[in-house]
Amino acid sequence: MLPAFSKWPREKKIQWILKDLPQANHIKKKIQECLHPQEHIQKNMEGLSENVLTNFILPYSVAPHFLINQKIYHVPLVTEESSVVAALAKAAKFWYTRGGFRTSVLSTQKEGQIHFRWYGDIQKLYDHWQWIKIKMLEATQSITEDMKKRGGGIQTIQLKEKKNIASFYYQIHVTFDTCDAMGANFINTCLEAMAKACQIYVTAQWPCIAFEIIMSILSNHAPHCMVISRVSCAIKDLGYIHGIAPPIFAEKFALATHIAHHDIYRAATHNKGILNGIDALALATGNDCRAIETAVHVYAAAEGCYQGLTKVSLEEDVFTVQLKLPLMIGVVGGMTRLHPLVETSLRLLQKPNAIDLMQIMAAVGLASHFSALTALITTGIQQGHMRMHLHNLLSCYKLTLAQREKAMVYFQNQVVSTQAVKDYIRKNVS
Amino acid sequence: MLPAFSKWPREKKIQWILKDLPQANHIKKKIQECLHPQEHIQKNMEGLSENVLTNFILPYSVAPHFLINQKIYHVPLVTEESSVVAALAKAAKFWYTRGGFRTSVLSTQKEGQIHFRWYGDIQKLYDHWQWIKIKMLEATQSITEDMKKRGGGIQTIQLKEKKNIASFYYQIHVTFDTCDAMGANFINTCLEAMAKACQIYVTAQWPCIAFEIIMSILSNHAPHCMVISRVSCAIKDLGYIHGIAPPIFAEKFALATHIAHHDIYRAATHNKGILNGIDALALATGNDCRAIETAVHVYAAAEGCYQGLTKVSLEEDVFTVQLKLPLMIGVVGGMTRLHPLVETSLRLLQKPNAIDLMQIMAAVGLASHFSALTALITTGIQQGHMRMHLHNLLSCYKLTLAQREKAMVYFQNQVVSTQAVKDYIRKNVS
């Protein structure tokens, strides 16, 4: 084992990790190539995590001209999937001339839980609940001071009986408004202080009855932190999409959405198509993609069976697609001030607050979904996707610029697949 | 609107995006600072996506000394969350002396669907099913040729009645073995070719009966692509963990896991703790985190209510934690060959095949979960997390090295919070 590996200087760590590997020098070169040339930026990156060897780069893109609530945004995106940015740019363009995206925030409440066991009569806790709450709030005073100034803080504190889950088990369910922060650290710090205060009160009051905190932590299930985005136009104004007449396209889009509502295999991929866009914007703005994915998927499962998150209406000859989902995100805290590009992303978006960003993100999710489903029900997903991926496939061969261009021209009218590219190269490039 | 924005050179795109923004020069500088100094690496990154302005960097870290099936791995990780790498390194160290992680792959089947409507008697399709299948397989011959050589390809093709979802609606459910590739492109290309072949056969056979393909696409629900990881030791060998005696720790860990099995608010965050580690390794190895997140969360919801994915057993005085989850990942295709560090990650892991990587990833998921839950039920999550985050909080102030060191020393025995750091700076740094 390695004593204090995390304290070693970067170069020593790299040396040690590579010591028994074949081609260690080659790997070392690759690692060093990705260090940032500016020492202070590199230092910042190393501060973000532990045992940092170098930087991992992903393409930072932009989807221009998103019309959201009558305002134009150029949306920064970080994704490795070649077709996501193209899909977003396409959807933005399509809806730009059809009223754009309409969004609204329904709620911004975040939630956390203190899980505990108490071996006494629960009525005792209910009788003292007002006092316990006061003690818990007092314990968070210094933590919440700043958040309160900004209009946020702890909203409600509720005692819940959960004996159906385990004997003597209860929860304190707390709701929060964390303003422009995602709020995970704030919530967890509050909950831990509250748990301690509760424990002190209860054990002082009933020293002979066991009271035990199990854990105190925010929940990534966020069904009260919801946003809606919507696109809508007269069915006839959809125009012909890849040769498909507007009413037929609209009906097929609605059917595909209906299927995702009832079939778990399809629902999974339907929702992934929404998250492809959302995660790209979340990364660019320094938000936690795991938290976002969790909240969205858990919400999709919250009614008892996992469902697609969009709805389509065709009433009165108007085509409307609506996406409703939880988004627990922030524009301050976390990486915001430390990362060299997160602040840039927020500037590109004209310095949104958390409520603005929730809406932009919901629009982006709907856009990425709209393009994906449109491709699926018309040309098939592979035509566009593989055309984007063609560049990657060709990059695996050492081609001259002329050879590459010739290949690009050839595949304009051909099905692109890994195999097809391989065959083409074998036949045409010696 | 912008004609052919995606074709513009990078500098023109940047200029245009920034034209109406305040401090455009400052933003431009930030964007340019993140370009890779080596032109060919930058070109490669730009090929990965569309409308690329620059690169987004994330720290590339390593968690050393993971003992998995008696073999040692140094695990590459890409994450912005400061505590994830520390948590993984800690769990690796803890289990290293207690037998390490045991993993096994249960299945590697991937699935896709052709959704269609057929207005005739379904018996007709059943009667011709053998012929239709042959036509569909013929249509994929050139696509699957290479995959077959590697031992993979199409496994089963099944016709499913789905009239309960919509009138005249059916599915062709196809299963695949995609060997070392994640396989999304392969599966989608196969399905689209199969759908076309099916349509040609059916419309030739029954030209007067409408047959309509709705869509053809892989599913990100992957309940037959499963891996298990497990840690286990005698309860007494757990030792005192943050002052908590082994049997008490074990019982509390089991209780917390039981709660995550029955409470959706807790289940969400329980599973997020698993994915924090998994996504970090997935990013480092060029895998699609949205696909992984989708499969894991949908599987957690597949039994009708969303549940935690781990199980704990305390039988015969042995503490065992087991994680069972789907992982649809690959070690070839996608970004593997194009990204400057993905290949490096695979080399650090001693060139795993997809089955090896599934297991390493499942061990990493279990490790990140174990550290998170251990912190939660002992010291609380914030002690370790905020200590990691202290660096970030201090970086928001312009401190000299001496001031920073003094602050670090001060907070060794203090609760770290955004507010506490702010107060400290106000009082101690003029």
Side-chain angles (χ1 to χ4, degrees):
Chain A
M1 296 301 294
L2 307 171
F5 179 78
S6 67
K7 307 271 184 270
W8 294 6
R10 186 181 70 217
E11 288 306 311
K12 188 175 168 192
K13 283 190 194 118
I14 296 173
Q15 208 67 42
W16 187 88
I17 289 289
L18 299 184
K19 70 181 163 28
D20 300 321
L21 283 183
Q23 293 192 273
N25 280 336
H26 170 77
I27 306 177
K28 193 173 172 187
K29 184 169 158 265
K30 290 274 177 192
I31 288 176
Q32 283 170 337
E33 266 175 7
C34 290
L35 288 168
H36 199 282
Q38 293 191 42
E39 190 55 26
H40 74 280
I41 295 179
Q42 185 57 38
K43 267 260 166 303
N44 258 356
M45 293 309 293
E46 291 178 25
L48 281 180
S49 189
E50 192 162 294
N51 294 350
V52 175
L53 305 184
T54 185
N55 306 311
F56 188 86
I57 58 180
L58 285 167
Y60 182 91
S61 304
V62 67
H65 262 175
F66 257 90
L67 183 61
I68 304 171
N69 298 339
Q70 299 308 311
K71 202 171 155 184
I72 290 172
Y73 295 93
H74 308 312
V75 178
L77 300 161
V78 175
T79 181
E80 89 296 345
E81 191 172 326
S82 49
S83 54
V84 170
V85 178
L88 288 172
K90 210 168 174 179
K93 193 171 170 185
F94 184 88
W95 287 106
Y96 186 84
T97 54
R98 289 168 179 85
F101 296 80
R102 294 283 178 173
T103 64
S104 56
V105 167
L106 301 177
S107 51
T108 57
Q109 200 174 65
K110 281 124 186 188
E111 294 163 84
Q113 300 170 304
I114 299 166
H115 304 260
F116 69 93
R117 279 194 288 200
W118 157 254
Y119 293 82
D121 180 359
I122 187 65
Q123 194 53 46
K124 284 192 169 66
L125 296 188
Y126 277 126
D127 290 344
H128 284 246
W129 192 236
Q130 288 311 317
W131 296 106
I132 296 171
K133 277 211 280 194
I134 288 171
K135 288 291 170 195
M136 289 197 287
L137 287 173
E138 272 175 19
T140 62
Q141 217 144 38
S142 72
I143 310 163
T144 58
E145 197 185 320
D146 241 43
M147 196 62 92
K148 277 188 208 156
K149 278 183 207 152
R150 289 184 266 149
I154 295 166
Q155 294 182 319
T156 65
I157 308 175
Q158 212 188 331
L159 179 60
K160 290 190 172 183
E161 300 196 42
K162 291 281 172 181
K163 281 191 259 189
N164 57 323
I165 295 180
S167 313
F168 314 109
Y169 167 54
Y170 304 90
Q171 293 173 355
I172 301 170
H173 194 97
V174 189
T175 64
F176 298 84
D177 177 351
T178 59
C179 302
D180 280 339
M182 190 278 200
N185 284 333
F186 171 75
I187 293 172
N188 291 335
T189 306
C190 283
L191 289 171
E192 289 186 6
M194 291 167 80
K196 208 168 162 184
C198 180
Q199 181 159 39
I200 289 169
Y201 184 96
V202 172
T203 49
Q205 198 71 33
W206 302 285
C208 300
I209 307 175
F211 176 95
E212 180 200 20
I213 298 292
I214 304 164
M215 56 192 160
S216 309
I217 179 102
L218 95 161
S219 175
N220 292 103
H221 182 35
H224 305 107
C225 187
M226 300 292 298
V227 55
I228 277 189
S229 62
R230 190 183 293 122
V231 286
S232 192
C233 73
I235 290 177
K236 66 175 172 37
D237 293 341
L238 286 168
Y240 276 70
I241 297 177
H242 295 291
I244 297 180
I248 294 173
F249 173 86
E251 195 267 342
K252 211 171 170 186
F253 199 99
L255 174 63
T257 305
H258 175 79
I259 292 168
H261 213 71
H262 294 279
D263 182 85
I264 189 170
Y265 277 92
R266 179 57 204 145
T269 309
H270 186 91
N271 290 342
K272 194 216 170 220
I274 297 165
L275 285 156
N276 276 339
I278 287 180
D279 275 14
L281 174 54
L283 258 179
T285 53
N287 278 287
D288 176 344
C289 291
R290 285 97 51 208
I292 290 172
E293 289 269 353
T294 301
V296 170
H297 288 296
V298 172
Y299 178 75
E303 279 188 21
C305 62
Y306 187 89
Q307 300 180 332
L309 286 172
T310 61
K311 278 185 187 161
V312 174
S313 153
L314 306 179
E315 275 167 41
E316 296 182 12
D317 294 327
V318 173
F319 174 78
T320 304
V321 192
Q322 180 182 291
L323 167 65
K324 184 176 159 188
L325 82 175
L327 284 176
M328 251 170 91
I329 52 98
V331 295
V332 297
M335 289 209 294
T336 324
R337 286 217 247 173
L338 295 171
H339 192 279
L341 279 181
V342 167
E343 200 207 352
T344 297
S345 294
L346 295 173
R347 281 176 191 266
L348 289 183
L349 294 171
Q350 302 158 58
K351 299 198 178 177
N353 60 24
I355 285 184
D356 298 330
L357 185 57
M358 279 172 84
Q359 295 180 79
I360 298 169
M361 217 174 256
V364 164
L366 180 54
S368 112
H369 162 71
F370 180 78
S371 278
L373 197 56
T374 297
L376 269 182
I377 63 169
T378 57
T379 58
I381 200 82
Q382 288 306 81
Q383 184 181 322
H385 186 82
M386 291 307 287
R387 207 151 302 287
M388 292 297 305
H389 195 51
L390 178 59
H391 169 91
N392 295 353
L393 292 173
L394 291 174
S395 297
C396 296
Y397 303 93
K398 287 203 191 310
L399 303 181
T400 64
L401 204 63
Q403 284 170 330
R404 169 183 280 267
E405 302 250 302
K406 212 175 141 192
M408 297 292 268
V409 170
Y410 170 81
F411 278 105
Q412 258 166 21
N413 303 308
Q414 297 290 322
V415 174
V416 179
S417 75
T418 315
Q419 188 65 42
V421 171
K422 198 173 170 179
D423 291 345
Y424 172 86
I425 298 287
R426 203 183 49 227
K427 280 178 206 150
N428 295 279
V429 183
S430 55
Chain B
M1 296 300 295
L2 308 170
F5 179 78
S6 67
K7 307 270 185 272
W8 293 6
R10 186 182 69 215
E11 287 305 311
K12 189 174 168 191
K13 283 190 193 121
I14 295 173
Q15 207 67 45
W16 188 87
I17 289 290
L18 300 183
K19 69 179 162 32
D20 301 321
L21 283 183
Q23 294 191 273
N25 281 335
H26 170 78
I27 306 177
K28 193 173 173 187
K29 185 170 156 262
K30 290 273 177 193
I31 288 176
Q32 284 170 336
E33 266 175 5
C34 291
L35 288 168
H36 199 283
Q38 293 192 43
E39 190 55 27
H40 74 280
I41 295 180
Q42 185 57 37
K43 267 259 168 303
N44 257 357
M45 293 310 293
E46 290 178 28
L48 281 179
S49 189
E50 193 162 294
N51 293 350
V52 176
L53 304 184
T54 186
N55 306 311
F56 189 85
I57 58 181
L58 285 167
Y60 181 91
S61 304
V62 67
H65 262 174
F66 257 91
L67 183 63
I68 304 171
N69 299 338
Q70 298 308 311
K71 203 171 154 185
I72 290 171
Y73 294 94
H74 307 312
V75 178
L77 300 161
V78 175
T79 181
E80 90 296 346
E81 192 172 327
S82 49
S83 55
V84 170
V85 178
L88 288 172
K90 211 168 172 177
K93 194 172 169 185
F94 184 89
W95 287 105
Y96 186 83
T97 53
R98 290 168 179 83
F101 296 80
R102 296 279 177 175
T103 64
S104 56
V105 167
L106 301 178
S107 51
T108 57
Q109 200 174 65
K110 281 126 186 185
E111 295 163 83
Q113 301 170 302
I114 299 166
H115 304 260
F116 69 93
R117 279 194 289 201
W118 156 255
Y119 293 80
D121 180 358
I122 188 65
Q123 195 53 46
K124 285 193 166 71
L125 296 190
Y126 278 125
D127 291 344
H128 285 247
W129 192 236
Q130 288 311 319
W131 296 107
I132 297 171
K133 277 211 279 193
I134 288 170
K135 288 290 170 195
M136 288 197 287
L137 286 173
E138 272 176 19
T140 63
Q141 217 143 39
S142 72
I143 310 163
T144 58
E145 198 185 318
D146 241 43
M147 194 63 90
K148 278 189 209 154
K149 278 184 207 151
R150 289 185 266 150
I154 294 166
Q155 294 182 320
T156 65
I157 308 175
Q158 211 188 331
L159 179 60
K160 291 190 172 184
E161 300 197 43
K162 292 280 172 181
K163 281 191 260 190
N164 58 324
I165 295 179
S167 314
F168 314 111
Y169 167 53
Y170 304 89
Q171 293 173 357
I172 300 170
H173 194 96
V174 189
T175 64
F176 299 85
D177 176 351
T178 59
C179 303
D180 280 339
M182 189 279 202
N185 284 332
F186 172 76
I187 292 172
N188 290 337
T189 307
C190 283
L191 289 171
E192 289 186 6
M194 290 168 81
K196 208 167 163 185
C198 179
Q199 180 159 41
I200 290 168
Y201 184 96
V202 172
T203 49
Q205 198 70 31
W206 301 286
C208 300
I209 307 175
F211 175 94
E212 179 200 21
I213 298 291
I214 304 163
M215 56 192 161
S216 310
I217 180 102
L218 95 160
S219 174
N220 292 103
H221 182 33
H224 305 107
C225 188
M226 299 293 297
V227 55
I228 276 189
S229 61
R230 189 183 294 123
V231 286
S232 193
C233 72
I235 289 177
K236 67 175 170 38
D237 293 341
L238 286 168
Y240 276 71
I241 297 176
H242 295 292
I244 297 181
I248 295 174
F249 174 86
E251 194 266 343
K252 212 171 169 185
F253 199 99
L255 175 63
T257 305
H258 176 80
I259 292 169
H261 212 72
H262 294 278
D263 181 86
I264 190 170
Y265 277 92
R266 178 56 205 147
T269 309
H270 185 90
N271 290 342
K272 194 216 170 220
I274 297 165
L275 285 156
N276 276 339
I278 287 180
D279 276 15
L281 174 55
L283 260 178
T285 53
N287 278 287
D288 176 344
C289 291
R290 284 97 50 208
I292 289 171
E293 289 269 352
T294 301
V296 171
H297 288 296
V298 173
Y299 177 75
E303 279 188 21
C305 62
Y306 186 89
Q307 299 180 332
L309 286 172
T310 61
K311 277 185 189 161
V312 173
S313 154
L314 306 179
E315 274 168 42
E316 296 182 11
D317 294 325
V318 172
F319 174 78
T320 304
V321 191
Q322 180 181 290
L323 167 64
K324 184 175 159 189
L325 82 176
L327 284 176
M328 252 170 93
I329 52 98
V331 295
V332 297
M335 290 209 293
T336 325
R337 286 217 249 175
L338 295 170
H339 192 280
L341 279 182
V342 168
E343 201 207 353
T344 296
S345 295
L346 295 172
R347 281 177 191 266
L348 288 183
L349 295 171
Q350 303 158 58
K351 300 199 178 177
N353 60 24
I355 285 184
D356 299 330
L357 186 58
M358 279 172 83
Q359 295 180 81
I360 299 169
M361 217 175 256
V364 164
L366 181 54
S368 111
H369 162 70
F370 179 79
S371 278
L373 198 55
T374 297
L376 269 181
I377 63 168
T378 57
T379 58
I381 200 84
Q382 287 306 82
Q383 184 180 324
H385 185 81
M386 291 308 286
R387 207 151 300 286
M388 293 297 305
H389 195 51
L390 178 60
H391 170 92
N392 295 354
L393 292 173
L394 291 174
S395 296
C396 295
Y397 303 92
K398 285 202 192 314
L399 302 182
T400 65
L401 205 62
Q403 284 171 330
R404 168 184 280 268
E405 302 249 303
K406 213 176 139 193
M408 298 293 268
V409 170
Y410 171 80
F411 278 105
Q412 259 168 18
N413 303 307
Q414 297 291 321
V415 174
V416 179
S417 76
T418 314
Q419 188 66 42
V421 170
K422 198 173 170 181
D423 291 345
Y424 172 86
I425 299 286
R426 202 183 50 226
K427 282 178 203 148
N428 295 281
V429 183
S430 56

